[in-house]
Amino acid sequence: GEKWDFVLQADHKKSGAFWMSFMGGLDCENLKAHQFALLVYDEQDDVDDLTLPSNMPPKPEYTVVPPPGLQVNTFNRACYDDLICVADLRSPYPLPEDIKINKADITLYLAFSINFVDNKNYYSIKYYDINSVSEDQQVTTPQINNISNVLPATPLIMSGKTNSQKFCNVDNPPANNSCYGDYCECLHMYKIPLGSIVDLVLIDEGINGPDNHPVHLHGQSYWVLGQNRPNDVPNASITRDQVIQMAKNGELVRNFDHPVVKDTVTIPNGG
């Protein structure tokens, strides 16, 4: 899921008790996972703490249907009217001036997909492939740019170098002996010079499922400059090549006015 820091302005004109509801959806829907919190709001100092809750509204019921009003990063939707994206929010802190540049030093297009491939970790190269087992036993493979990441035996920070034969990315694809049946795996890595400004274009291709992908960066944060879902329909999809073409056409809009800092952001399918 996605996580947020927010400030609640306690400026309501009427005292009372208010429910805050947290509902889990998708995989959490079968369990009706939820949490309720009671916010007691008192604009007068002489009201007893037990008086307000005694007249509080009934406890909410579990539902995955959001109430009317503004929605932020609605599940698998585009951004318009009352549906706003993270990039539409504003931070109290401005973007540093040295980052306000027309073109980043490096732009990486990272496309997430759930692929129907012969993953050698799930299937036998010699005896059976993904199409040879029943549908309930077919396991898809989550990948970035159609590559599965394989961690090195020794942490990179300790070894100080990589084995060039096992290192790859979309611009330096794996050697032929690392792929079969359209399945590729390697140490999926990009070498970024120190001090570079990196533009990450995160793409959920929407293949084999309607999953949102909450993209988390360990130990660091990033500014969310733009977000969109061009084809706002159920089970939408988009390819990495299409997004690159949109960038060439100037269709990837970026906001440099007080963008929000996040370490996790949810990407809609086809967005």
Side-chain angles (χ1 to χ4, degrees):
E2 189 164 358
K3 59 183 183 178
W4 299 85
D5 294 325
F6 65 91
V7 177
L8 180 66
Q9 298 288 354
D11 56 2
H12 199 277
K13 300 302 181 183
K14 182 180 177 181
S15 300
F18 305 89
W19 286 107
M20 300 177 69
S21 304
F22 304 88
M23 315 287 192
L26 296 179
D27 295 343
C28 302
E29 190 171 345
N30 290 336
L31 300 174
K32 295 186 176 181
H34 66 275
Q35 186 74 51
F36 298 123
L38 186 63
L39 173 67
V40 178
Y41 184 89
D42 176 19
E43 64 176 353
Q44 300 175 3
D45 295 333
D46 56 351
V47 179
D48 183 83
D49 289 342
L50 298 180
T51 301
L52 291 173
S54 64
N55 298 319
M56 67 184 182
K59 181 180 176 180
E61 297 291 334
Y62 172 84
T63 177
V64 293
V65 180
L70 287 177
Q71 299 177 31
V72 180
N73 259 23
T74 302
F75 178 73
N76 284 344
R77 293 296 302 274
C79 312
Y80 53 88
D81 297 335
D82 284 347
L83 306 180
I84 62 177
C85 290
V86 178
D88 298 320
L89 303 176
R90 294 296 175 263
S91 168
Y93 308 106
L95 187 71
E97 289 296 328
D98 58 343
I99 298 180
K100 294 181 181 180
I101 58 177
N102 293 327
K103 183 176 176 60
D105 300 320
I106 296 173
T107 299
L108 302 178
Y109 295 88
L110 304 178
F112 319 118
S113 56
I114 308 296
N115 291 326
F116 194 82
V117 294
D118 281 324
N119 187 327
K120 68 179 183 180
N121 300 290
Y122 304 155
Y123 306 100
S124 167
I125 300 176
K126 184 176 181 180
Y127 298 107
Y128 60 92
D129 60 17
I130 190 172
N131 294 304
S132 301
V133 299
S134 59
E135 185 175 347
D136 62 332
Q137 292 182 323
Q138 292 175 339
V139 180
T140 52
T141 300
Q143 295 182 307
I144 296 179
N145 290 348
N146 296 323
I147 297 173
S148 292
N149 184 47
V150 178
L151 297 176
T154 304
L156 296 178
I157 198 170
M158 295 177 62
S159 63
K161 59 182 179 180
T162 62
N163 186 330
S164 59
Q165 293 181 339
K166 296 182 179 180
F167 149 75
C168 80
N169 55 49
V170 70
D171 300 316
N172 301 279
N176 292 333
N177 59 1
S178 298
C179 296
Y180 82 96
D182 293 329
Y183 174 75
C184 296
E185 66 176 25
C186 66
L187 173 58
H188 194 179
M189 192 178 74
Y190 291 89
K191 296 182 179 180
I192 308 296
L194 183 64
S196 299
I197 296 176
V198 182
D199 195 7
L200 295 173
V201 183
L202 308 174
I203 307 159
D204 185 334
E205 293 190 311
I207 298 175
N208 291 328
D211 300 331
N212 273 41
H213 283 86
V215 182
H216 177 60
L217 184 63
H218 286 265
Q220 303 291 334
S221 299
Y222 44 76
W223 288 273
V224 182
L225 302 182
Q227 188 171 343
N228 195 11
R229 188 174 188 251
N231 189 22
D232 192 32
V233 297
N235 300 316
S237 62
I238 197 168
T239 66
R240 181 176 181 271
D241 289 340
Q242 287 174 319
V243 174
I244 292 175
Q245 186 59 51
M246 289 177 64
K248 293 178 179 178
N249 296 341
E251 298 173 8
L252 300 187
V253 180
R254 293 167 174 79
N255 165 63
F256 295 99
D257 177 21
H258 293 71
V260 173
V261 177
K262 298 270 288 174
D263 66 5
T264 306
V265 66
T266 300
I267 313 298
N269 68 343

